[in-house]
Amino acid sequence: MSDVLFEQVTRDLRSKGFKILEKLGDRMFVAEKKEKYLFYVMVEGVEVTTQTLLSVINMGETLSMDTVLALVSNDGTVTYYFVRRIRLPRNVYAQGV
Amino acid sequence: MSGVLRGLAVVVQDVELARALYREGFYGRFLGYDKVKRDEVDKVSAPLILALYEALYLAERGRIKVVAEDGAEIPPEKLAELGRGMIRNFDDVYKIYKYFRDLGYVVKSGLKFGALFSVYEKGPGIDHAPMVVVFLEPDRGISATDITRGGRLGHSVKKTFTLATVLRQTGEVVLLGFSWAKL
């Protein structure tokens, strides 16, 4: 992988004490520090479909790992967000109608 | 049991009905008041303003009858049609509104948060932090900027927010929760 923006993510994670365990695709990999996380890299300006993002989240659920989106600015600054699918329960505080 | 459609909102003049609707699920807002608590409702004698999606939801449930200023009844389909003509993505937005309401959540405008909806378990003025729900247009993808922008909305230090969209393939409402990760 010679994508310099992608490299910024793995470099940043290593500097934070993460070990990159396995690449699972172009933008997806598993890294570990205490716990394992599924990472997905999103580059500023490049859209991904909802379907793609959902399949990444599903993958995280399947692997029982938190999914982290690594957002890379177009000059290589990285910000991380956890993402999960929310399945809302019925609100227990709902007032009876 | 009726409210009058005036523009894109519905006004409930009947004080008893207004109080009942507000008490039931914090529907609408009393003209001139904000964040009225449930036990203060009986002290308020003001018209209740319902957003179009609130009025549509209540009308579909037979809870209110919406009429024009001349008294002619406006069926739910006509309200939806009006919304569709005036408000971008009205059908999807309404579907998301209905999704939360059907599960018993209190859904209010998200405008002051820069979002689509603010969603409460107990109600505005009671919950400490609402779920800030950002709408994602179904035909668009998600970008990194959508996510960081969402993170700027809430004033919570955890920067948690929810993206809501409707899947084109299945019509399913999908909620994605994001929170800033300090790794």
Side-chain angles (χ1 to χ4, degrees):
Chain A
M1 190 63 181
S2 65
D3 184 328
V4 68
L5 294 179
F6 185 92
E7 262 176 36
Q8 297 309 300
V9 178
T10 49
R11 186 188 301 257
D12 183 63
L13 285 173
R14 286 199 185 93
S15 78
K16 287 175 156 62
F18 278 85
K19 208 158 83 188
I20 313 298
L21 295 183
E22 193 180 356
K23 297 247 160 85
L24 296 173
D26 254 10
R27 307 160 161 219
M28 208 178 351
F29 59 90
V30 175
E32 179 177 35
K33 181 172 119 173
K34 282 186 193 164
E35 285 178 57
K36 290 178 187 172
Y37 300 91
L38 178 67
F39 284 88
Y40 185 73
V41 179
M42 291 177 71
V43 175
E44 182 177 4
V46 182
E47 281 186 5
V48 300
T49 63
T50 314
Q51 218 40 263
T52 303
L53 193 54
L54 279 175
S55 65
V56 173
I57 295 167
N58 277 340
M59 175 77 85
E61 286 176 357
T62 305
L63 298 171
S64 305
M65 294 175 195
D66 284 339
T67 301
V68 181
L69 300 177
L71 312 179
V72 199
S73 73
N74 42 36
D75 58 2
T77 305
V78 193
T79 313
Y80 302 95
Y81 275 82
F82 287 116
V83 62
R84 63 194 176 87
R85 173 105 184 244
I86 297 175
R87 293 176 180 86
L88 274 185
R90 193 173 160 75
N91 182 14
V92 293
Y93 301 105
Q95 302 289 313
V97 178
Chain B
M1 235 192 49
S2 64
V4 181
L5 178 69
R6 288 171 59 190
L8 277 180
V10 168
V11 183
V12 176
Q13 287 287 355
D14 175 347
V15 173
E16 282 313 313
L17 176 61
R19 288 173 179 164
L21 293 172
Y22 193 83
R23 231 183 262 119
E24 268 168 37
F26 292 94
Y27 290 99
R29 191 178 67 85
F30 289 104
L31 186 62
Y33 296 82
D34 200 16
K35 290 184 179 170
V36 173
K37 302 252 187 349
R38 211 179 240 108
D39 55 10
E40 296 167 353
V41 168
D42 287 332
K43 290 179 228 151
V44 180
S45 297
L48 190 76
I49 314 237
L50 297 169
L52 190 62
Y53 46 75
E54 293 180 304
L56 175 56
Y57 187 77
L58 292 166
E60 280 183 345
R61 261 141 209 78
R63 195 61 192 83
I64 60 166
K65 194 172 84 175
V66 177
V67 299
E69 284 180 275
D70 65 4
E73 184 169 353
I74 304 172
E77 310 81 69
K78 288 282 176 201
L79 287 177
E81 214 173 279
L82 171 71
R84 226 169 275 141
M86 297 291 289
I87 298 167
R88 191 172 164 82
N89 297 307
F90 183 81
D91 286 316
D92 290 322
V93 167
Y94 180 63
K95 199 163 192 175
I96 294 166
Y97 177 83
K98 186 169 156 1
Y99 174 85
F100 283 112
R101 275 295 186 184
D102 284 349
L103 285 169
Y105 292 87
V106 175
V107 187
K108 307 301 288 183
S109 163
L111 181 62
K112 67 182 165 196
F113 299 101
L116 174 65
F117 294 131
S118 50
V119 175
Y120 302 80
E121 286 186 322
K122 297 178 182 173
I126 311 173
D127 287 17
H128 287 303
M131 183 187 233
V132 177
V133 178
V134 176
F135 178 62
L136 182 74
E137 285 191 40
D139 299 318
R140 262 199 49 212
I142 299 175
S143 73
T145 309
D146 289 321
I147 297 165
T148 49
R149 189 185 289 139
R152 297 279 167 199
L153 300 181
H155 21 224
S156 87
V157 277
K158 282 169 78 186
K159 296 185 186 172
T160 304
F161 75 102
T162 303
L163 271 185
T165 193
V166 178
L167 284 188
R168 271 292 165 256
Q169 298 86 334
T170 59
E172 197 186 349
V173 172
V174 171
L175 302 180
L176 299 177
F178 295 85
S179 56
W180 183 61
K182 189 177 195 298
L183 296 178

